[in-house]
Amino acid sequence: HASPSAADALVKNSKLSAAAPEFVPGCYASFQDDVYSDESEGYYPEPSLADFVQDFVSHLNSSPGSFESEIDYITDTLNSCVTTEEILQKLVELIYVQSTSIPNFAYTGARLCNHLSHHIRLSPASGNFRQLLLQRCRTEYEQREQAVRGDPGTQKRFHSYVLFLGELYLNLEIKSGKDTPGRANVLLGALKDLLNALFSHPDDPNLMCAVKLLKLSGSILDDTWKEKGQSDMDEVIKKIEDILIDAKCSRDVKQMLLKLLELQSSNWGRVHVAAVSSDATPDNDPNYFMNEPTFYTTDGTPFTAADPEYSDKYQEILDREDFFPDAYEENGNDSFCGDEDEMDPEIEEAFERFCMESDARRKK
């Protein structure tokens, strides 16, 4: 500890002033990108809005379990920063780009967008956070017909957008005055149109994207369309059946489509029980895991939480960029396997049965 005389000397020689402006952390500033700095005098550039968004997105992506504990701080900080319409629009663009470009961030990005749509206070005439986000999504939606026929880079960006929109439909809550929060109907119609666009140019990448979207949201889309008295899912399944009969896709994608049809025909793998015990456990209830989501390993083998190797297999998926490898992009080869490889006997039998049933339906 400094002696009283030394402390007096420090105070006497200090350049600090009680009348100096209050210190404000950089993340609470107005987030201008061009901030002057003079390191010789101890001044450094203040973090921009882009820096802050990138930092917390990176944190949430690496530690998704911290979402609940961190989201209030993130929201409070953004509310202190987002003071103009221009900054709000920039925030929407930054989060949209992060959510559609970072592997495996679409789900957390959609949760983030849902939370901010209810808690970002600024609501200018051009629209609040949710409205601006949906406007941004519409920009990509309107380019769907060109995107599905674009180069591999364009297709890959479009597919990331499609899967983010699927997550957004599942997670974005629209609050009303009377009822409990519901989903955005505008996204329901958009997802149907995006599926049609993918099926209109049925190359392997587009079909793989459609499979991923339907595995992600198919059960919810099916339920919602049925509640509205619409047969949209029947139309989707018919398109898949037609594509399988044409057999223009690779063997591997054909297997994925067949597995998807099997999943849909089993009510998306769901089991409805008349009465579910509140104290059900994996040991006393054989149906305990039946409503858990189904995942696929690299060789296409389905598994759920009931699988004894669930943790290892699920980690394998997390370690990959996507649910399916990008091997089809290498050497211009659209197949994951060599031409000499044969279709799995089980899948071959399922496909033959499908073809026979389709022929029988046509003859009727």
Side-chain angles (χ1 to χ4, degrees):
H1 297 286
S3 64
S5 58
D8 292 340
L10 285 173
V11 172
K12 182 177 181 181
N13 296 325
S14 174
K15 295 181 181 179
L16 297 176
S17 169
E22 180 183 0
F23 169 72
V24 179
C27 60
Y28 286 88
S30 60
F31 287 121
Q32 299 298 317
D33 289 330
D34 299 323
V35 179
Y36 293 102
S37 66
D38 185 350
E39 296 185 12
S40 63
E41 296 186 10
Y43 295 102
Y44 297 90
E46 294 175 342
S48 66
L49 177 61
D51 291 333
F52 179 63
V53 170
Q54 185 172 2
D55 284 348
F56 76 69
V57 164
S58 177
H59 174 66
L60 292 177
N61 192 43
S62 61
S63 305
S66 68
F67 185 93
E68 296 295 340
S69 60
E70 301 287 348
I71 191 61
D72 287 340
Y73 165 74
I74 292 169
T75 305
D76 289 344
T77 303
L78 289 174
N79 270 322
S80 298
C81 306
V82 179
T83 56
T84 68
E85 178 180 339
E86 181 182 1
I87 296 176
L88 178 60
Q89 291 175 339
K90 185 175 182 180
L91 173 64
V92 168
E93 178 67 19
L94 287 168
I95 292 180
Y96 171 85
V97 169
Q98 299 282 349
S99 298
T100 56
S101 61
I102 298 178
N104 299 322
F105 188 68
Y107 166 68
T108 303
R111 291 183 67 200
L112 174 65
C113 288
N114 177 58
H115 187 88
L116 296 181
S117 72
H118 299 299
H119 294 90
I120 291 294
R121 290 190 293 268
L122 188 69
S123 182
S126 60
N128 57 28
F129 181 92
R130 174 174 58 82
Q131 292 165 332
L132 292 176
L133 175 66
L134 294 177
Q135 288 175 23
R136 179 62 181 87
C137 290
R138 185 173 182 82
T139 301
E140 302 299 323
Y141 166 83
E142 292 174 346
Q143 302 299 317
R144 62 192 182 282
E145 298 297 339
Q146 296 87 352
V148 296
R149 293 169 173 76
D151 58 53
T154 299
Q155 279 193 339
K156 190 171 184 178
R157 287 190 295 273
F158 177 69
H159 297 158
S160 296
Y161 157 74
V162 169
L163 296 178
F164 171 63
L165 211 67
E167 293 285 11
L168 204 59
Y169 177 66
L170 298 181
N171 290 280
L172 187 64
E173 298 176 328
I174 308 298
K175 293 183 178 179
S176 61
K178 301 178 181 179
D179 303 324
T180 56
R183 294 188 172 90
N185 284 328
V186 65
L187 294 181
L188 178 66
L191 290 175
K192 172 69 182 303
D193 292 341
L194 292 172
L195 281 169
N196 285 336
L198 292 166
F199 292 140
S200 72
H201 189 66
D203 61 8
D204 281 9
N206 283 334
L207 291 177
M208 288 166 62
C209 178
V211 168
K212 296 176 193 177
L213 177 61
L214 287 169
K215 276 192 61 62
L216 169 70
S217 60
S219 61
I220 302 300
L221 295 176
D222 203 348
D223 291 346
T224 306
W225 282 327
K226 285 178 180 176
E227 289 172 5
K228 294 178 178 292
Q230 299 172 338
S231 59
D232 296 59
M233 185 56 72
D234 292 337
E235 296 173 16
V236 169
I237 297 303
K238 179 64 167 58
K239 287 181 183 294
I240 294 176
E241 292 175 343
D242 290 343
I243 289 170
L244 278 168
I245 292 173
D246 290 342
K248 293 180 181 178
C249 54
S250 73
R251 182 167 49 250
D252 304 276
V253 172
K254 187 181 297 184
Q255 291 184 20
M256 294 177 190
L257 292 171
L258 283 167
K259 286 180 180 291
L260 182 68
L261 290 182
E262 291 178 2
L263 182 66
Q264 189 273 337
S265 66
S266 66
N267 193 25
W268 304 98
R270 297 176 294 187
V271 173
H272 297 287
V273 183
V276 179
S277 172
S278 60
D279 57 353
T281 68
D283 297 325
N284 63 27
D285 184 357
N287 293 319
Y288 184 82
F289 290 111
M290 292 305 294
N291 287 318
E292 294 297 316
T294 301
F295 301 99
Y296 286 84
T297 60
T298 51
D299 61 359
T301 303
F303 70 96
T304 67
D307 193 297
E309 299 176 357
Y310 170 77
S311 297
D312 293 339
K313 291 180 180 179
Y314 187 63
Q315 187 59 46
E316 174 193 332
I317 283 186
L318 294 180
D319 290 342
R320 279 183 280 147
E321 257 195 29
D322 233 328
F323 276 55
F324 304 100
D326 290 333
Y328 64 87
E329 293 181 358
E330 297 179 5
N331 303 321
N333 186 355
D334 285 346
S335 175
F336 297 118
C337 310
D339 291 336
E340 69 275 13
D341 293 334
E342 296 183 358
M343 183 182 292
D344 293 341
E346 182 182 349
I347 297 298
E348 186 173 8
E349 181 183 351
F351 181 63
E352 290 176 356
R353 185 169 64 253
F354 164 76
C355 291
M356 292 175 63
E357 292 172 354
S358 298
D359 289 340
R361 285 198 299 269
R362 283 197 174 93
K363 289 177 181 177
K364 290 181 181 179

